[in-house]
Structures are given as C-alpha cells and as structure tokens.
C-alpha cells in the first residue's frame, strides 16, 4: 500500500519537491516553457506508521513496473521517459518534462502499474500500485 508519493522537479534554477499523502497533494508550480528533470519516490508505512522508501524495490523490479503520466489539459506538460527496465521498456521513475509556453492550470496524474505476468506498456493492463493526482499551475 503506497502511503506517500513525492515528485522532484529540477531545472537550472534549482529543485522543488511536491508530495501526495493520504489523498491530498501539494500544488505543483512550474515556469512556462521550461525543461525539468523529474524523479518520483514511493513510500509505504511500516508497523510503527513510519514512511519507508520503496523506490529502490520498484527500481530493482523494473521489468514488473511502469509509471504513466497523464495531464489535463494534455498539452500542460510533455513527458519523456529517461529510464528503462532490463528489457529496454520504459520505467518512469526518471522523466524529462517540458512545460507549455503559456500560463495554464490543470492536473498531473501519476499511475504506478505492476505487471505480474508480462509488462506490455499499457496503463489499462496490470494492477495499480498507485494512482495519484496533483494540481499544476504553470506561470
């Protein structure tokens, strides 16, 4: 059970981190017409209710996982995979994102899919390990 998701945006001006936790998320604020490198981290709770980073586990089981990024409106961000699994298929823990060239608001949906049999790269296949939404403001 995923209890928390963090997404880190890095550009030439620095780094910003946004968090989804317990169904609530920060509003992502980005500059227009900018290229960002992003990294996503996943956490679960241990018996003591402490957050445990499970991102390395997802990375190690990369042939069984894939992240999908959907924006609304669909031109809010352009996303490109920067990592892949052992078979050369996209993973999505590291991405490159380019923002629209105008001020806009919308949403970013991040889905982590788990494929028990064979990874087919479709967000409609496999089981959903995480499905989170962030509001996005591009200025």
């Amino acid at each position: 059970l995923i209890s928390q998701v963090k997404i880190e945006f890095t550009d030439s001006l620095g780094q910003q981190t946004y968090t989804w936790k317990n169904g609530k998320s920060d509003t992502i604020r980005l500059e227009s017409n900018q290229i960002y490198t992003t990294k996503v981290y996943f956490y679960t709770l241990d018996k003591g209710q402490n957050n445990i980073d499970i991102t390395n586990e997802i990375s190690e089981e990369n042939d069984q996982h894939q992240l999908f990024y959907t924006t609304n409106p669909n031109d809010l961000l352009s996303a490109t995979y920067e990592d892949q699994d052992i078979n050369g298929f996209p993973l999505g823990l590291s991405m490159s994102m380019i923002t629209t060239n105008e001020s806009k608001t919308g949403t970013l949906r991040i889905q982590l899919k788990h494929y028990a049999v064979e990874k087919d790269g479709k967000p409609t296949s496999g089981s959903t390990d995480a499905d989170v939404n962030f509001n996005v403001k591009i200025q």
Side-chain angles (χ1 to χ4, degrees), residues 35-39 69 79-85 89-98:
I35 299 171
Y36 292 91
T37 301
T38 64
K39 294 197 180 295
Y69 298 83
T80 304
Y81 289 94
E82 293 293 332
D83 57 1
Q84 52 188 243
D85 69 14
F89 293 107
L91 177 57
L93 289 171
S94 296
M95 301 288 290
S96 175
M97 294 191 187
I98 303 172

Side-chain angles (χ1 to χ4, degrees), residues 34-46:
Q34 187 70 18
I35 299 171
Y36 292 91
T37 301
T38 64
K39 294 197 180 295
V40 180
Y41 302 91
F42 293 90
Y43 300 84
T44 191
L45 294 174
D46 67 10

Side-chain angles (χ1 to χ4, degrees), residues 22-115:
N22 299 326
K24 297 178 183 174
S25 64
D26 298 330
T27 296
I28 297 172
R29 298 179 189 280
L30 303 172
E31 297 294 321
S32 64
N33 201 31
Q34 187 70 18
I35 299 171
Y36 292 91
T37 301
T38 64
K39 294 197 180 295
V40 180
Y41 302 91
F42 293 90
Y43 300 84
T44 191
L45 294 174
D46 67 10
K47 291 180 182 177
Q49 298 299 300
N50 299 305
N51 275 317
I52 303 297
D53 188 340
I54 59 168
T55 309
N56 283 339
E57 179 182 326
I58 295 165
S59 182
E60 289 169 3
E61 298 174 355
N62 57 36
D63 62 327
Q64 299 173 31
H65 292 93
Q66 186 170 348
L67 280 84
F68 294 91
Y69 298 83
T70 310
T71 62
N72 185 17
N74 62 5
D75 66 343
L76 192 65
L77 296 166
S78 169
T80 304
Y81 289 94
E82 293 293 332
D83 57 1
Q84 52 188 243
D85 69 14
I86 59 173
N87 298 313
F89 293 107
L91 177 57
L93 289 171
S94 296
M95 301 288 290
S96 175
M97 294 191 187
I98 303 172
T99 56
T100 182
N101 60 3
E102 57 187 276
S103 294
K104 227 177 224 193
T105 59
T107 58
L108 171 63
R109 179 182 184 191
I110 302 172
Q111 292 177 283
L112 173 61
K113 298 299 268 191
H114 180 92
Y115 300 92

Side-chain angles (χ1 to χ4, degrees), residues 1-19:
L1 181 64
I2 304 292
S3 60
Q4 185 173 333
V5 178
K6 289 185 180 181
I7 185 168
E8 220 173 62
F9 287 83
T10 305
D11 67 358
S12 61
L13 301 175
Q15 185 180 82
Q16 305 166 67
T17 303
Y18 302 95
T19 303

